[in-house]
Structure formats: C-alpha cells, structure tokens
Amino acid sequence: MADGHPLFKPLVFVGGIVFGFGLGFSHMARPEVVLNFLQFDDLGLPFVMFGAAIVSGLAFALLPRLRDAAPLTGTPYERRLKPFDRNVLVGGTVFGVGWGVSGICPGAAYASLGVGNVTILWALAGMFLGAYLQGYWRSRSRSPDATAAGAD
C-alpha cells in the first residue's frame, strides 16, 4: 500500500506547501510572468525549472543508491521508461498549446489560486474537462484487452 506509513499524507501535504510557496515566491504562479517568458521577455522561468530539475535529478540519482526502497512506502525503487511515441508527441504538443494559451502550467495554476488569481478557475476547469474528455476518448477507442494491457 502506497500510503501505509502514518507520516505519508502529512509529508505529501508539507511537500505541497513547499511547492506552492516556491511557485508563489518565484512569481511563477502569475500567468503574466509565464507569458512574458514565452515571449522571451522574462527568463526567470528556466532558472526556476532548472533549480527544480537539479534537486529532483540528484534525488532520483542518489536515493536508489542509498536505499533499496522508498522510506515511507517501502516500495522498491524502479525505473519505468515511457517510449517516445506518437502519443507523447501529440500529447506534449497539445499540452504546450494549452500552456501557451492559458499562460500557466497545471501545478502553478493551483498555486495561482493561493496568490488570489480567481480567474485561473477557468483554466483549471478547462484542464479537468480536457483530462476527462481524453480519458473518455481513450476508453472508447480501445478494446477492453488493450486497455488493461496498456494502462499507465
């Protein structure tokens, strides 16, 4: 069970607080900052992204060498590679267009609520609707055997 340890949910909550605070502090929870980056007017976003990538990369590289399993869940560390296929290319393109049009990525959209941007609820509603429609479309376009075998 992934959340068997009593500290699992509180630590996930604390991680979310740290994530949201970091997005708010770096101003990445403001769509206009993200749009300024996409127009090459403000290059702060790559520094925030690279900082997160460095910390995550170090954790993913070092933790499996220090421990055999995750500390709170006990599940073994393993790599799951996703092949670069048509779904990754199309999905990434659609995600990028949505990010450019709304001016904010999903994680920052939630943090944007915390800095008082109530208008972002439209983007969040669109994200939920888009994810629902994609799941509905995929479940209708696959046979039951292929769905069970290819579920991620």
Side-chain angles (χ1 to χ4, degrees), residues 4 10 30-31 46 49 51 62 75 108 144:
R30 295 175 43 206
M49 288 173 35
L62 295 177
T75 56

Side-chain angles (χ1 to χ4, degrees), residues 10 45 54 80 138 145-146 148:
L45 180 61
I54 290 169
R80 184 181 148 270
R138 180 165 285 186
D145 294 339

Side-chain angles (χ1 to χ4, degrees), residues 32-128:
E32 58 274 11
V33 172
V34 177
L35 288 172
N36 284 339
F37 161 72
L38 294 173
Q39 296 170 356
F40 302 107
D41 290 334
D42 181 357
L43 299 179
L45 180 61
F47 290 105
V48 173
M49 288 173 35
F50 291 139
I54 290 169
V55 172
S56 296
L58 287 172
F60 279 102
L62 295 177
L63 282 177
R65 293 184 177 150
L66 299 174
R67 300 182 57 99
D68 292 334
L72 294 179
T73 63
T75 56
Y77 290 116
E78 59 186 2
R79 292 186 65 168
R80 184 181 148 270
L81 299 176
K82 172 84 171 118
F84 187 80
D85 60 6
R86 184 177 69 86
N87 290 338
V88 172
L89 186 62
V90 172
T93 301
V94 171
F95 175 84
V97 168
W99 184 24
V101 169
S102 69
I104 200 142
C105 72
Y110 292 110
S112 186
L113 282 172
V115 296
N117 184 2
V118 181
T119 308
I120 204 69
L121 287 171
W122 287 102
L124 289 169
M127 284 184 238
F128 278 104

